[in-house]
Structure formats: C-alpha cells, structure tokens
Amino acid sequence: MTTSTSTAQIRDILASIIGSDVVQTTSDDELVFQEGVIDSMHLVELVATLEDQCGVTVDGADLQPENFESISAMAAYLDRKSGR
Amino acid sequence: MSVRPIVTRRMARIAPRSGRDQRIDLTKLRRVLEVVKTDVVEWPTTRSLPPVKARVPTELLRVEPGSASQWRAIVPARQHRDVETFLRRGDVGYLATVGGEFAGWVWMSRQTHRDPWSGLTIRLADDEAYSYALWVKEDLRPQGIAAVLMTAILKEAKEAGNIARVYGWVDQHNRQSAFLLRIVFGFAHVQSLQRLHLARRWGGQVPFSARPAFGPLSRAGHHAAEAQRDRL
C-alpha cells in the first residue's frame, strides 16, 4: 500500500508510546488490536499526536475499526483525511 | 458615628457585577447544568471480541439475580442499593477487583428502563440488551480494566444465544470511551442526542434531540412492534 503519511511516521509515534521493541516486531498490516499490540489508551495518545503532527481532526464518523486496525490502515486513513 | 451599609441578601443578588464575576458564575452554572452531546452505539453479537489484557492483575466476579452475596464484601456499602436495584430488574454484572479491592463494574440489562444517571431510556426489543454503568475507579485508570469488563459483558451477550445486539452510550467528548467502544470493540453509531446533565449526577434527554428518529431512544426502533413485523 502506497501512502503519503508514511507508516514510518506512525511507527515512530507508536514507538514513543509502547516502546520501539514492540513496534519493531509488528508488521505494517498486522491487526494491532486483535493481536493486542495496542489498546484504547495507546490509541488516544496516538491519535492526539497524529492530529498535532498531521493537522487532521479525527471525528466521530471516523471511529471505524477499519481506519485504525493496522499501521498501514492508519496511514491510508490519514491520507484520505488530509486529501492526499 | 460610622454607618455600616445594610446589604440584604436580595440586594446582593441583584447588585451589578463585573464581567469577570459573570463569567465565573457562568462557569459555575455550566458545572451544575451541562448539555452533553451523546452517541448511542450498538454492537452486533456476530462480531468477534478482541483479546484484551489489563496492565494490573484483575479478577472478575459475575453477579446475577440469585447469585451468592459475595458482592457485598466487595462493593462499598453506599452502592449496595444500586446493585440491589440492578439485580431486582434481572440485570447481570461483572465486578472487577485489583488486589482484593473493588476496582470497577459493568452491567447489562434486557429490560427497557430509564437509566437514572444519564436519564436516557434505551428501548429494547426481545433480542436486545443494554450495557450500562461501565465504571473504573479513578486511580486505576487507564490500566485496561474497562476493556476487560467490557469484554466480559459482551462475551456474556454473545454466548446467551438470544441477543442480536447490545446497545451502549458514550458522550462525544469522552474520547477514551469512544475509542474503546467504537474502534477496539467495533460498536457502530446508531443515534445521537443531547442530554441535560445536572450537577454531574442526574440527567435527561433533551426532547426531540435524537437523530435519526428511528432508534433505541425513539418510539420507533427495533423494539417497536411495526419494526419487528417489518423484519419478519
């Protein structure tokens, strides 16, 4: 999947929240909730940082599991959201 | 001779105030009376449950009508009446304990009733349930205990065999809960409404604020006889 919001950017933010060792062993397409990589508390931190860095606002209509289920899904969602 | 000004309480109330004082009063008023935007969400029991794990060792106790009164030793005495009310209605709950201490709870009802805290009435069809009162002790947040409780109650609904969907509600400003319900568990939005919240304790739905009109907060919903007939 080709995205403008790089998965590396999301990985960097995730690493600061859950630790780089966990992020290194997680693939871009791994289902992060299903696999227990992150939980809702991590997601709140992640989304707040992404909103700051990418200038988007995650609103109620965007709260779909499909938008956040993996690192690549998050990158694709942010691209759609920012109109890239 | 000094003359002490006489200011009655009534005079003090009507005395002109500076803009700052008025702002302070408005802030106080908002604390007493809030209008909160709230979403009603639903979870189809056909969905799978994500694996969840609390960051602190958490034990769960299932409570149902007629179950042993073990919960009395866990739940603070001031909340015993709440539990008794829930059980009289036939509701099922899960209590979380951490280190033997009460850490939180969640409840599920199959009965249409008015939730006294939110003031909302979620109208249920025969194959529906309503999860409510998800709460975790403040000093134990966020440790994943809410996710563990929610998983337990949704698993209960899933395994009941006669529940098609579980409703819940979440205030739009409560991002933590919205993310938990909608992204982690996959609850879908069904209705939005505004509710009045009085003194952060009592509340009620603002009349005609539910959108769309069809849903668990409205007269027409899956609970309505016509809707049930349409589905057959």
Side-chain angles (χ1 to χ4, degrees), chain A residues 33-36 39-44 47-48 51 57-66 68-69, chain B residues 39 47-51 53 55 141-145 147 175-176 178-180 182-187:
Chain A
F33 295 110
Q34 293 291 330
E35 299 301 325
D39 57 27
S40 63
M41 294 156 285
H42 298 133
L43 190 63
V44 171
V47 169
E51 285 181 332
T57 303
V58 177
D59 50 38
D62 300 328
L63 299 183
Q64 312 281 343
E66 298 74 26
F68 296 93
E69 66 186 6
Chain B
D39 290 333
R47 277 196 84 95
S48 57
L49 286 163
K53 196 177 170 209
R55 292 179 196 169
R141 299 177 208 164
Q143 303 280 352
I145 297 169
R175 291 192 113 191
Q176 176 94 42
F179 285 9
L180 176 70
R182 298 195 54 192
I183 295 176
V184 178
F185 288 103
F187 273 79

mmCIF file of all heavy atoms in Angstrom, chain A residues 33-36 39-44 47-48 51 57-66 68-69, chain B residues 39 47-51 53 55 141-145 147 175-176 178-180 182-187:
data_model
loop_
_atom_site.group_PDB
_atom_site.id
_atom_site.type_symbol
_atom_site.label_atom_id
_atom_site.label_comp_id
_atom_site.label_asym_id
_atom_site.label_seq_id
_atom_site.Cartn_x
_atom_site.Cartn_y
_atom_site.Cartn_z
ATOM 1 N N PHE A 33 -5.119 -4.314 17.246
ATOM 2 C CA PHE A 33 -5.986 -4.583 18.406
ATOM 3 C C PHE A 33 -6.186 -6.077 18.582
ATOM 4 O O PHE A 33 -6.122 -6.597 19.697
ATOM 5 C CB PHE A 33 -7.344 -3.888 18.250
ATOM 6 C CG PHE A 33 -7.234 -2.403 18.263
ATOM 7 C CD1 PHE A 33 -7.454 -1.669 17.120
ATOM 8 C CD2 PHE A 33 -6.882 -1.732 19.419
ATOM 9 C CE1 PHE A 33 -7.326 -0.308 17.123
ATOM 10 C CE2 PHE A 33 -6.738 -0.366 19.440
ATOM 11 C CZ PHE A 33 -6.971 0.355 18.280
ATOM 12 N N GLN A 34 -6.436 -6.739 17.455
ATOM 13 C CA GLN A 34 -6.661 -8.190 17.517
ATOM 14 C C GLN A 34 -5.447 -8.898 18.109
ATOM 15 O O GLN A 34 -5.579 -9.890 18.818
ATOM 16 C CB GLN A 34 -6.945 -8.746 16.112
ATOM 17 C CG GLN A 34 -8.260 -8.276 15.505
ATOM 18 C CD GLN A 34 -9.477 -8.851 16.222
ATOM 19 O OE1 GLN A 34 -9.424 -9.934 16.747
ATOM 20 N NE2 GLN A 34 -10.549 -8.101 16.248
ATOM 21 N N GLU A 35 -4.263 -8.375 17.794
ATOM 22 C CA GLU A 35 -3.035 -9.008 18.285
ATOM 23 C C GLU A 35 -2.603 -8.450 19.640
ATOM 24 O O GLU A 35 -1.576 -8.866 20.178
ATOM 25 C CB GLU A 35 -1.898 -8.815 17.260
ATOM 26 C CG GLU A 35 -2.182 -9.445 15.901
ATOM 27 C CD GLU A 35 -2.434 -10.942 15.975
ATOM 28 O OE1 GLU A 35 -1.801 -11.611 16.801
ATOM 29 O OE2 GLU A 35 -3.291 -11.430 15.217
ATOM 30 N N GLY A 36 -3.366 -7.502 20.156
ATOM 31 C CA GLY A 36 -3.046 -6.960 21.478
ATOM 32 C C GLY A 36 -1.808 -6.075 21.494
ATOM 33 O O GLY A 36 -1.197 -5.870 22.547
ATOM 34 N N ASP A 39 -3.855 -0.788 22.829
ATOM 35 C CA ASP A 39 -5.229 -0.769 23.345
ATOM 36 C C ASP A 39 -5.783 0.652 23.225
ATOM 37 O O ASP A 39 -5.131 1.531 22.666
ATOM 38 C CB ASP A 39 -5.286 -1.299 24.782
ATOM 39 C CG ASP A 39 -4.373 -0.519 25.719
ATOM 40 O OD1 ASP A 39 -4.115 0.666 25.446
ATOM 41 O OD2 ASP A 39 -3.909 -1.092 26.719
ATOM 42 N N SER A 40 -6.968 0.862 23.781
ATOM 43 C CA SER A 40 -7.630 2.157 23.583
ATOM 44 C C SER A 40 -6.852 3.309 24.206
ATOM 45 O O SER A 40 -6.879 4.428 23.708
ATOM 46 C CB SER A 40 -9.041 2.119 24.158
ATOM 47 O OG SER A 40 -9.011 1.902 25.541
ATOM 48 N N MET A 41 -6.129 3.006 25.296
ATOM 49 C CA MET A 41 -5.360 4.072 25.942
ATOM 50 C C MET A 41 -4.215 4.532 25.042
ATOM 51 O O MET A 41 -3.944 5.711 24.908
ATOM 52 C CB MET A 41 -4.819 3.583 27.277
ATOM 53 C CG MET A 41 -5.910 3.317 28.271
ATOM 54 S SD MET A 41 -5.405 2.139 29.520
ATOM 55 C CE MET A 41 -5.466 0.625 28.626
ATOM 56 N N HIS A 42 -3.543 3.546 24.429
ATOM 57 C CA HIS A 42 -2.480 3.885 23.475
ATOM 58 C C HIS A 42 -3.055 4.663 22.305
ATOM 59 O O HIS A 42 -2.443 5.606 21.810
ATOM 60 C CB HIS A 42 -1.817 2.610 22.940
ATOM 61 C CG HIS A 42 -1.149 1.793 23.995
ATOM 62 N ND1 HIS A 42 -1.321 0.435 24.101
ATOM 63 C CD2 HIS A 42 -0.331 2.140 25.004
ATOM 64 C CE1 HIS A 42 -0.623 -0.022 25.115
ATOM 65 N NE2 HIS A 42 -0.022 1.000 25.692
ATOM 66 N N LEU A 43 -4.244 4.254 21.872
ATOM 67 C CA LEU A 43 -4.846 4.876 20.700
ATOM 68 C C LEU A 43 -5.163 6.353 20.953
ATOM 69 O O LEU A 43 -4.974 7.191 20.074
ATOM 70 C CB LEU A 43 -6.119 4.122 20.294
ATOM 71 C CG LEU A 43 -6.690 4.540 18.957
ATOM 72 C CD1 LEU A 43 -5.728 4.237 17.820
ATOM 73 C CD2 LEU A 43 -8.012 3.850 18.710
ATOM 74 N N VAL A 44 -5.621 6.661 22.155
ATOM 75 C CA VAL A 44 -5.911 8.059 22.483
ATOM 76 C C VAL A 44 -4.640 8.895 22.332
ATOM 77 O O VAL A 44 -4.639 9.962 21.732
ATOM 78 C CB VAL A 44 -6.487 8.184 23.911
ATOM 79 C CG1 VAL A 44 -6.583 9.649 24.329
ATOM 80 C CG2 VAL A 44 -7.861 7.543 23.983
ATOM 81 N N VAL A 47 -3.624 9.046 18.515
ATOM 82 C CA VAL A 47 -4.467 9.939 17.713
ATOM 83 C C VAL A 47 -4.176 11.403 18.054
ATOM 84 O O VAL A 47 -4.075 12.248 17.160
ATOM 85 C CB VAL A 47 -5.967 9.603 17.913
ATOM 86 C CG1 VAL A 47 -6.858 10.680 17.317
ATOM 87 C CG2 VAL A 47 -6.290 8.259 17.275
ATOM 88 N N ALA A 48 -3.977 11.699 19.338
ATOM 89 C CA ALA A 48 -3.679 13.085 19.728
ATOM 90 C C ALA A 48 -2.386 13.547 19.053
ATOM 91 O O ALA A 48 -2.320 14.668 18.530
ATOM 92 C CB ALA A 48 -3.554 13.175 21.248
ATOM 93 N N GLU A 51 -2.972 13.954 15.277
ATOM 94 C CA GLU A 51 -3.736 15.179 14.986
ATOM 95 C C GLU A 51 -2.815 16.397 15.014
ATOM 96 O O GLU A 51 -2.916 17.284 14.177
ATOM 97 C CB GLU A 51 -4.874 15.340 15.993
ATOM 98 C CG GLU A 51 -6.036 14.396 15.720
ATOM 99 C CD GLU A 51 -7.188 14.555 16.699
ATOM 100 O OE1 GLU A 51 -6.940 14.958 17.857
ATOM 101 O OE2 GLU A 51 -8.329 14.269 16.330
ATOM 102 N N THR A 57 -8.337 16.259 12.164
ATOM 103 C CA THR A 57 -9.147 16.011 13.349
ATOM 104 C C THR A 57 -9.918 14.712 13.148
ATOM 105 O O THR A 57 -10.633 14.567 12.156
ATOM 106 C CB THR A 57 -10.150 17.164 13.586
ATOM 107 O OG1 THR A 57 -9.403 18.380 13.689
ATOM 108 C CG2 THR A 57 -10.940 16.953 14.866
ATOM 109 N N VAL A 58 -9.737 13.811 14.064
ATOM 110 C CA VAL A 58 -10.453 12.539 13.984
ATOM 111 C C VAL A 58 -11.815 12.748 14.628
ATOM 112 O O VAL A 58 -11.914 12.956 15.835
ATOM 113 C CB VAL A 58 -9.670 11.427 14.713
ATOM 114 C CG1 VAL A 58 -10.453 10.115 14.693
ATOM 115 C CG2 VAL A 58 -8.295 11.237 14.090
ATOM 116 N N ASP A 59 -12.858 12.756 13.810
ATOM 117 C CA ASP A 59 -14.184 12.983 14.390
ATOM 118 C C ASP A 59 -14.977 11.683 14.493
ATOM 119 O O ASP A 59 -14.512 10.619 14.086
ATOM 120 C CB ASP A 59 -14.957 14.074 13.631
ATOM 121 C CG ASP A 59 -14.948 13.837 12.143
ATOM 122 O OD1 ASP A 59 -15.048 12.678 11.746
ATOM 123 O OD2 ASP A 59 -14.849 14.816 11.375
ATOM 124 N N GLY A 60 -16.173 11.815 15.047
ATOM 125 C CA GLY A 60 -16.980 10.629 15.359
ATOM 126 C C GLY A 60 -17.186 9.679 14.186
ATOM 127 O O GLY A 60 -17.105 8.468 14.335
ATOM 128 N N ALA A 61 -17.411 10.252 13.007
ATOM 129 C CA ALA A 61 -17.684 9.400 11.836
ATOM 130 C C ALA A 61 -16.471 8.563 11.444
ATOM 131 O O ALA A 61 -16.601 7.560 10.740
ATOM 132 C CB ALA A 61 -18.113 10.276 10.666
ATOM 133 N N ASP A 62 -15.298 8.994 11.885
ATOM 134 C CA ASP A 62 -14.066 8.266 11.520
ATOM 135 C C ASP A 62 -13.742 7.127 12.475
ATOM 136 O O ASP A 62 -12.756 6.407 12.277
ATOM 137 C CB ASP A 62 -12.869 9.232 11.507
ATOM 138 C CG ASP A 62 -13.070 10.360 10.516
ATOM 139 O OD1 ASP A 62 -13.714 10.121 9.486
ATOM 140 O OD2 ASP A 62 -12.589 11.476 10.792
ATOM 141 N N LEU A 63 -14.516 7.011 13.537
ATOM 142 C CA LEU A 63 -14.195 5.992 14.539
ATOM 143 C C LEU A 63 -14.657 4.608 14.075
ATOM 144 O O LEU A 63 -15.574 4.016 14.620
ATOM 145 C CB LEU A 63 -14.828 6.355 15.891
ATOM 146 C CG LEU A 63 -14.371 7.674 16.507
ATOM 147 C CD1 LEU A 63 -15.010 7.888 17.872
ATOM 148 C CD2 LEU A 63 -12.852 7.717 16.649
ATOM 149 N N GLN A 64 -14.017 4.143 13.044
ATOM 150 C CA GLN A 64 -14.310 2.822 12.481
ATOM 151 C C GLN A 64 -13.084 1.952 12.728
ATOM 152 O O GLN A 64 -11.961 2.406 12.495
ATOM 153 C CB GLN A 64 -14.523 2.907 10.968
ATOM 154 C CG GLN A 64 -15.451 4.013 10.510
ATOM 155 C CD GLN A 64 -16.910 3.649 10.705
ATOM 156 O OE1 GLN A 64 -17.233 2.484 10.877
ATOM 157 N NE2 GLN A 64 -17.773 4.634 10.718
ATOM 158 N N PRO A 65 -13.293 0.708 13.126
ATOM 159 C CA PRO A 65 -12.138 -0.179 13.349
ATOM 160 C C PRO A 65 -11.246 -0.253 12.111
ATOM 161 O O PRO A 65 -10.020 -0.317 12.234
ATOM 162 C CB PRO A 65 -12.787 -1.533 13.636
ATOM 163 C CG PRO A 65 -14.161 -1.231 14.104
ATOM 164 C CD PRO A 65 -14.560 0.041 13.414
ATOM 165 N N GLU A 66 -11.861 -0.196 10.914
ATOM 166 C CA GLU A 66 -11.088 -0.339 9.668
ATOM 167 C C GLU A 66 -10.041 0.766 9.503
ATOM 168 O O GLU A 66 -9.031 0.563 8.839
ATOM 169 C CB GLU A 66 -12.030 -0.308 8.451
ATOM 170 C CG GLU A 66 -13.044 -1.435 8.391
ATOM 171 C CD GLU A 66 -14.183 -1.298 9.394
ATOM 172 O OE1 GLU A 66 -14.507 -0.160 9.806
ATOM 173 O OE2 GLU A 66 -14.738 -2.339 9.774
ATOM 174 N N PHE A 68 -8.219 2.072 11.842
ATOM 175 C CA PHE A 68 -7.136 2.017 12.825
ATOM 176 C C PHE A 68 -6.647 0.598 13.093
ATOM 177 O O PHE A 68 -5.909 0.364 14.032
ATOM 178 C CB PHE A 68 -7.607 2.645 14.156
ATOM 179 C CG PHE A 68 -7.931 4.102 14.028
ATOM 180 C CD1 PHE A 68 -9.222 4.523 13.757
ATOM 181 C CD2 PHE A 68 -6.945 5.066 14.159
ATOM 182 C CE1 PHE A 68 -9.532 5.862 13.615
ATOM 183 C CE2 PHE A 68 -7.231 6.408 14.026
ATOM 184 C CZ PHE A 68 -8.534 6.808 13.759
ATOM 185 N N GLU A 69 -7.090 -0.348 12.262
ATOM 186 C CA GLU A 69 -6.799 -1.747 12.590
ATOM 187 C C GLU A 69 -5.334 -2.133 12.416
ATOM 188 O O GLU A 69 -4.874 -3.109 13.003
ATOM 189 C CB GLU A 69 -7.689 -2.689 11.773
ATOM 190 C CG GLU A 69 -7.414 -2.639 10.284
ATOM 191 C CD GLU A 69 -8.406 -3.463 9.488
ATOM 192 O OE1 GLU A 69 -9.384 -3.978 10.080
ATOM 193 O OE2 GLU A 69 -8.201 -3.585 8.276
ATOM 194 N N ASP B 39 -23.680 9.876 21.941
ATOM 195 C CA ASP B 39 -23.965 8.917 20.869
ATOM 196 C C ASP B 39 -24.455 7.609 21.473
ATOM 197 O O ASP B 39 -23.927 7.147 22.482
ATOM 198 C CB ASP B 39 -22.694 8.610 20.060
ATOM 199 C CG ASP B 39 -22.251 9.785 19.211
ATOM 200 O OD1 ASP B 39 -23.120 10.595 18.826
ATOM 201 O OD2 ASP B 39 -21.042 9.891 18.938
ATOM 202 N N ARG B 47 -20.116 -10.098 15.949
ATOM 203 C CA ARG B 47 -18.718 -9.620 15.902
ATOM 204 C C ARG B 47 -17.847 -10.458 16.823
ATOM 205 O O ARG B 47 -18.305 -10.949 17.861
ATOM 206 C CB ARG B 47 -18.631 -8.159 16.358
ATOM 207 C CG ARG B 47 -18.945 -7.146 15.294
ATOM 208 C CD ARG B 47 -18.466 -5.777 15.723
ATOM 209 N NE ARG B 47 -17.053 -5.594 15.410
ATOM 210 C CZ ARG B 47 -16.599 -5.018 14.311
ATOM 211 N NH1 ARG B 47 -17.428 -4.528 13.436
ATOM 212 N NH2 ARG B 47 -15.303 -4.896 14.093
ATOM 213 N N SER B 48 -16.580 -10.547 16.453
ATOM 214 C CA SER B 48 -15.657 -11.260 17.347
ATOM 215 C C SER B 48 -15.091 -10.261 18.357
ATOM 216 O O SER B 48 -15.107 -9.045 18.136
ATOM 217 C CB SER B 48 -14.546 -11.923 16.548
ATOM 218 O OG SER B 48 -13.872 -10.948 15.799
ATOM 219 N N LEU B 49 -14.601 -10.799 19.443
ATOM 220 C CA LEU B 49 -14.071 -9.940 20.506
ATOM 221 C C LEU B 49 -12.541 -9.881 20.409
ATOM 222 O O LEU B 49 -11.903 -10.915 20.195
ATOM 223 C CB LEU B 49 -14.470 -10.497 21.872
ATOM 224 C CG LEU B 49 -15.934 -10.299 22.246
ATOM 225 C CD1 LEU B 49 -16.326 -11.215 23.391
ATOM 226 C CD2 LEU B 49 -16.187 -8.841 22.628
ATOM 227 N N PRO B 50 -11.961 -8.695 20.565
ATOM 228 C CA PRO B 50 -10.504 -8.609 20.516
ATOM 229 C C PRO B 50 -9.902 -9.144 21.816
ATOM 230 O O PRO B 50 -10.559 -9.106 22.856
ATOM 231 C CB PRO B 50 -10.250 -7.102 20.389
ATOM 232 C CG PRO B 50 -11.417 -6.480 21.057
ATOM 233 C CD PRO B 50 -12.585 -7.389 20.820
ATOM 234 N N PRO B 51 -8.668 -9.636 21.761
ATOM 235 C CA PRO B 51 -8.044 -10.058 23.017
ATOM 236 C C PRO B 51 -7.693 -8.807 23.825
ATOM 237 O O PRO B 51 -7.173 -7.841 23.272
ATOM 238 C CB PRO B 51 -6.771 -10.780 22.554
ATOM 239 C CG PRO B 51 -6.480 -10.205 21.214
ATOM 240 C CD PRO B 51 -7.772 -9.752 20.624
ATOM 241 N N LYS B 53 -6.183 -7.275 27.707
ATOM 242 C CA LYS B 53 -5.475 -7.645 28.933
ATOM 243 C C LYS B 53 -5.247 -6.374 29.751
ATOM 244 O O LYS B 53 -4.818 -5.357 29.201
ATOM 245 C CB LYS B 53 -4.125 -8.266 28.554
ATOM 246 C CG LYS B 53 -3.465 -9.018 29.680
ATOM 247 C CD LYS B 53 -2.183 -9.669 29.218
ATOM 248 C CE LYS B 53 -1.436 -10.186 30.431
ATOM 249 N NZ LYS B 53 -0.021 -10.220 30.257
ATOM 250 N N ARG B 55 -3.398 -4.007 32.550
ATOM 251 C CA ARG B 55 -1.980 -3.856 32.919
ATOM 252 C C ARG B 55 -1.740 -4.184 34.385
ATOM 253 O O ARG B 55 -0.607 -4.192 34.843
ATOM 254 C CB ARG B 55 -1.531 -2.421 32.629
ATOM 255 C CG ARG B 55 -1.505 -2.128 31.151
ATOM 256 C CD ARG B 55 -1.081 -0.699 30.891
ATOM 257 N NE ARG B 55 -1.415 -0.332 29.527
ATOM 258 C CZ ARG B 55 -1.363 0.899 29.056
ATOM 259 N NH1 ARG B 55 -1.000 1.892 29.832
ATOM 260 N NH2 ARG B 55 -1.682 1.148 27.808
ATOM 261 N N ARG B 141 -7.311 4.081 36.519
ATOM 262 C CA ARG B 141 -7.425 4.370 35.090
ATOM 263 C C ARG B 141 -6.116 5.001 34.625
ATOM 264 O O ARG B 141 -5.522 5.767 35.400
ATOM 265 C CB ARG B 141 -8.536 5.387 34.809
ATOM 266 C CG ARG B 141 -9.900 4.955 35.205
ATOM 267 C CD ARG B 141 -10.874 6.101 34.943
ATOM 268 N NE ARG B 141 -12.010 6.048 35.850
ATOM 269 C CZ ARG B 141 -12.846 7.069 36.049
ATOM 270 N NH1 ARG B 141 -12.663 8.201 35.415
ATOM 271 N NH2 ARG B 141 -13.849 6.956 36.879
ATOM 272 N N PRO B 142 -5.682 4.850 33.408
ATOM 273 C CA PRO B 142 -6.161 3.847 32.462
ATOM 274 C C PRO B 142 -5.250 2.619 32.523
ATOM 275 O O PRO B 142 -4.066 2.723 32.270
ATOM 276 C CB PRO B 142 -6.016 4.570 31.125
ATOM 277 C CG PRO B 142 -4.866 5.521 31.320
ATOM 278 C CD PRO B 142 -4.724 5.782 32.793
ATOM 279 N N GLN B 143 -5.793 1.515 32.896
ATOM 280 C CA GLN B 143 -4.986 0.292 33.038
ATOM 281 C C GLN B 143 -5.595 -0.859 32.245
ATOM 282 O O GLN B 143 -5.198 -1.998 32.421
ATOM 283 C CB GLN B 143 -4.913 -0.125 34.513
ATOM 284 C CG GLN B 143 -4.352 0.915 35.457
ATOM 285 C CD GLN B 143 -2.829 0.966 35.437
ATOM 286 O OE1 GLN B 143 -2.180 0.132 34.827
ATOM 287 N NE2 GLN B 143 -2.269 1.955 36.101
ATOM 288 N N GLY B 144 -6.599 -0.567 31.445
ATOM 289 C CA GLY B 144 -7.205 -1.615 30.625
ATOM 290 C C GLY B 144 -8.312 -2.382 31.334
ATOM 291 O O GLY B 144 -8.836 -3.354 30.794
ATOM 292 N N ILE B 145 -8.666 -1.938 32.550
ATOM 293 C CA ILE B 145 -9.703 -2.663 33.311
ATOM 294 C C ILE B 145 -11.066 -2.511 32.625
ATOM 295 O O ILE B 145 -11.851 -3.465 32.559
ATOM 296 C CB ILE B 145 -9.746 -2.165 34.774
ATOM 297 C CG1 ILE B 145 -8.408 -2.463 35.452
ATOM 298 C CG2 ILE B 145 -10.891 -2.826 35.545
ATOM 299 C CD1 ILE B 145 -8.216 -1.803 36.799
ATOM 300 N N ALA B 147 -11.655 -2.301 29.489
ATOM 301 C CA ALA B 147 -11.698 -3.211 28.334
ATOM 302 C C ALA B 147 -11.972 -4.641 28.791
ATOM 303 O O ALA B 147 -12.733 -5.372 28.143
ATOM 304 C CB ALA B 147 -10.384 -3.137 27.568
ATOM 305 N N ARG B 175 -13.353 10.772 24.655
ATOM 306 C CA ARG B 175 -12.653 10.094 23.564
ATOM 307 C C ARG B 175 -12.173 8.704 23.981
ATOM 308 O O ARG B 175 -12.221 7.769 23.206
ATOM 309 C CB ARG B 175 -11.449 10.919 23.102
ATOM 310 C CG ARG B 175 -11.853 12.184 22.409
ATOM 311 C CD ARG B 175 -10.675 12.804 21.727
ATOM 312 N NE ARG B 175 -10.843 12.767 20.284
ATOM 313 C CZ ARG B 175 -9.879 13.055 19.425
ATOM 314 N NH1 ARG B 175 -8.684 13.369 19.854
ATOM 315 N NH2 ARG B 175 -10.105 13.009 18.135
ATOM 316 N N GLN B 176 -11.706 8.593 25.212
ATOM 317 C CA GLN B 176 -11.200 7.304 25.689
ATOM 318 C C GLN B 176 -12.268 6.214 25.550
ATOM 319 O O GLN B 176 -12.018 5.148 24.990
ATOM 320 C CB GLN B 176 -10.781 7.442 27.154
ATOM 321 C CG GLN B 176 -10.331 6.159 27.806
ATOM 322 C CD GLN B 176 -8.833 5.979 27.727
ATOM 323 O OE1 GLN B 176 -8.092 6.924 27.921
ATOM 324 N NE2 GLN B 176 -8.390 4.791 27.444
ATOM 325 N N ALA B 178 -15.067 6.440 23.749
ATOM 326 C CA ALA B 178 -15.489 6.312 22.347
ATOM 327 C C ALA B 178 -14.520 5.421 21.581
ATOM 328 O O ALA B 178 -14.940 4.560 20.804
ATOM 329 C CB ALA B 178 -15.574 7.695 21.704
ATOM 330 N N PHE B 179 -13.240 5.599 21.797
ATOM 331 C CA PHE B 179 -12.238 4.773 21.113
ATOM 332 C C PHE B 179 -12.362 3.320 21.554
ATOM 333 O O PHE B 179 -12.263 2.404 20.749
ATOM 334 C CB PHE B 179 -10.823 5.275 21.410
ATOM 335 C CG PHE B 179 -10.446 6.529 20.674
ATOM 336 C CD1 PHE B 179 -11.384 7.256 19.957
ATOM 337 C CD2 PHE B 179 -9.150 6.991 20.689
ATOM 338 C CE1 PHE B 179 -11.044 8.413 19.277
ATOM 339 C CE2 PHE B 179 -8.790 8.142 20.011
ATOM 340 C CZ PHE B 179 -9.731 8.856 19.308
ATOM 341 N N LEU B 180 -12.573 3.143 22.850
ATOM 342 C CA LEU B 180 -12.691 1.770 23.369
ATOM 343 C C LEU B 180 -13.878 1.064 22.707
ATOM 344 O O LEU B 180 -13.734 -0.035 22.172
ATOM 345 C CB LEU B 180 -12.864 1.788 24.887
ATOM 346 C CG LEU B 180 -13.082 0.432 25.545
ATOM 347 C CD1 LEU B 180 -11.811 -0.406 25.503
ATOM 348 C CD2 LEU B 180 -13.539 0.582 26.992
ATOM 349 N N ARG B 182 -15.861 2.014 20.047
ATOM 350 C CA ARG B 182 -16.048 2.025 18.594
ATOM 351 C C ARG B 182 -14.876 1.436 17.831
ATOM 352 O O ARG B 182 -15.080 0.755 16.832
ATOM 353 C CB ARG B 182 -16.351 3.455 18.137
ATOM 354 C CG ARG B 182 -17.661 3.924 18.779
ATOM 355 C CD ARG B 182 -18.252 5.127 18.161
ATOM 356 N NE ARG B 182 -18.422 4.970 16.739
ATOM 357 C CZ ARG B 182 -18.711 5.981 15.937
ATOM 358 N NH1 ARG B 182 -18.857 7.179 16.444
ATOM 359 N NH2 ARG B 182 -18.850 5.795 14.642
ATOM 360 N N ILE B 183 -13.672 1.678 18.273
ATOM 361 C CA ILE B 183 -12.532 1.168 17.498
ATOM 362 C C ILE B 183 -12.074 -0.190 18.012
ATOM 363 O O ILE B 183 -11.860 -1.115 17.236
ATOM 364 C CB ILE B 183 -11.380 2.192 17.508
ATOM 365 C CG1 ILE B 183 -11.839 3.447 16.776
ATOM 366 C CG2 ILE B 183 -10.137 1.609 16.849
ATOM 367 C CD1 ILE B 183 -10.845 4.573 16.775
ATOM 368 N N VAL B 184 -11.950 -0.330 19.313
ATOM 369 C CA VAL B 184 -11.454 -1.609 19.840
ATOM 370 C C VAL B 184 -12.536 -2.696 19.715
ATOM 371 O O VAL B 184 -12.258 -3.792 19.229
ATOM 372 C CB VAL B 184 -10.994 -1.466 21.312
ATOM 373 C CG1 VAL B 184 -10.540 -2.813 21.863
ATOM 374 C CG2 VAL B 184 -9.872 -0.436 21.415
ATOM 375 N N PHE B 185 -13.774 -2.378 20.119
ATOM 376 C CA PHE B 185 -14.821 -3.415 20.098
ATOM 377 C C PHE B 185 -15.673 -3.371 18.831
ATOM 378 O O PHE B 185 -16.368 -4.332 18.534
ATOM 379 C CB PHE B 185 -15.715 -3.295 21.334
ATOM 380 C CG PHE B 185 -15.021 -3.730 22.590
ATOM 381 C CD1 PHE B 185 -14.536 -2.802 23.489
ATOM 382 C CD2 PHE B 185 -14.802 -5.075 22.853
ATOM 383 C CE1 PHE B 185 -13.860 -3.195 24.635
ATOM 384 C CE2 PHE B 185 -14.135 -5.484 23.986
ATOM 385 C CZ PHE B 185 -13.660 -4.547 24.883
ATOM 386 N N GLY B 186 -15.644 -2.259 18.105
ATOM 387 C CA GLY B 186 -16.398 -2.186 16.857
ATOM 388 C C GLY B 186 -17.862 -1.846 17.032
ATOM 389 O O GLY B 186 -18.704 -2.220 16.201
ATOM 390 N N PHE B 187 -18.208 -1.127 18.095
ATOM 391 C CA PHE B 187 -19.578 -0.617 18.236
ATOM 392 C C PHE B 187 -19.828 0.366 17.090
ATOM 393 O O PHE B 187 -18.943 1.143 16.739
ATOM 394 C CB PHE B 187 -19.748 0.134 19.561
ATOM 395 C CG PHE B 187 -20.113 -0.723 20.743
ATOM 396 C CD1 PHE B 187 -19.153 -1.474 21.399
ATOM 397 C CD2 PHE B 187 -21.415 -0.757 21.210
ATOM 398 C CE1 PHE B 187 -19.482 -2.251 22.499
ATOM 399 C CE2 PHE B 187 -21.759 -1.521 22.306
ATOM 400 C CZ PHE B 187 -20.795 -2.270 22.953
#
